[in-house]
Amino acid sequence: MIYDCLIIGGGMAGLQAAIQLGRYSVHRILVVDAGTGRSTLCREYHNLLGFPEGISGEELRSRGRRQAESFGVEFTEDRIVQAEKANEGFRFTGASGSRYECRTVLLATGLSDRYPDIPGLEPTFGRSVYVCPDCDGYEIQDRNTLVIGSGNPGANMALLMAERARSLIYINHEKAHVDEEKHRLMHQAGIRYMEQEVTEIIHENDGYIQGAMLEDGSLVEAERGFIAFGGNHVHSELAEQLGVELHHNRHVEANPRSKMTNVEHVWTAGDLGVHSELVTAAMGDGAIAAVWINKTLRKLEHG
C-alpha cells in the first residue's frame, strides 16, 4: 500500500493536518503515532479557543483522532525509526518492523522536555506546573510560584516569570552554574535562589502542587510551578535521514508559507519546526501544511 500522505506524529499538529487532509475526501492518509509526546502529559490546556474551562491533552487527542477517522483517515501505533527516499516517494520503517510507503510526508514528531524523574512531578503537568511561559504564564498570576530547573535555563525562566507571580523561588535542582549577571538580576527582581535537589513534589486535589520537598528535608510551599532544565530533545532524526535542513538548535527549517522543507514533498508542522511552541501554532502549522500537501497531490495526479 502506497499512501498519498504519511503523517508521522499524532499530536496537535499531526491531528489537525489529518482532519484537513481527510476533508478533501480523495486522498489515502495514514497517521503513524507513537502514543507519546508533550500533549499526552498535559492535564489541562487553558489557552485554546472554545475551552475556557480547560481540556487535557489526552482528551483533545482522542477527539481529534475520532474526528479525523470520520473522514476516512487511518491510524496505526508505531514509532518510525528509519526514513529513506524510495522510487518517487518515501519508505519508512517502524520499531515494529512494519514498512510504510507514501508519496508525501508530514513530519510532526515534536520534541520532548528534559526533566528529572522527581516523584509527584508528572501528575502536576498542565494542572499546576508548566513548561511554556507563553501558554501558561497567566496561570501563575499573583500566585506563590516555584521554578525548578538547572543553571541558566532555570534562571532565565525565573526572571521571565517573576513579574507575574506573587512570590518566586528558583530551585536549581541540578546545581548547575548560574552566571553572576543572572544572580544579580534575580536578586534585583526579588527572586529567592536555592541550590538543592528536589526529592518530591507534594500535590493534592488531583494535581495541584502544594510544595517541593528538598534534600535537606525541608518543604518549600507553592501554589504553582514551572520547570526549565534546558536540553530538550527535538525529534528531528527522521528529517535528518531524509536530508532536511536543520536549524542550529536541530529544529526543522521550512518555507513559512507552505511549511514544506528543502526536500520536495516533505513537510513539517508543530514543535519540530522553528516557531513558538504553542498548541495553537502547531494546529495552524498542521492545517497550512495540509492545504499545500493537497495542492501538491492534485498536481501529481492531474499534472
Side-chain angles (χ1 to χ4, degrees), residues 98-114:
S98 298
R99 289 193 171 188
Y100 311 91
E101 293 193 30
C102 60
R103 302 163 74 192
T104 66
V105 61
L106 173 64
L107 300 174
T109 45
L111 62 79
S112 297
D113 296 283
R114 185 179 77 86

Side-chain angles (χ1 to χ4, degrees), residues 74-131:
E74 299 173 47
F75 283 77
T76 189
E77 186 171 329
D78 202 352
R79 183 181 298 279
I80 301 297
V81 294
Q82 184 178 346
E84 57 187 324
K85 297 177 183 178
N87 301 320
E88 295 183 1
F90 306 93
R91 182 184 298 118
F92 296 88
T93 305
S96 66
S98 298
R99 289 193 171 188
Y100 311 91
E101 293 193 30
C102 60
R103 302 163 74 192
T104 66
V105 61
L106 173 64
L107 300 174
T109 45
L111 62 79
S112 297
D113 296 283
R114 185 179 77 86
Y115 58 90
D117 184 17
I118 300 173
L121 178 58
E122 285 194 3
T124 67
F125 283 160
R127 182 63 54 84
S128 61
V129 175
Y130 314 100
V131 300

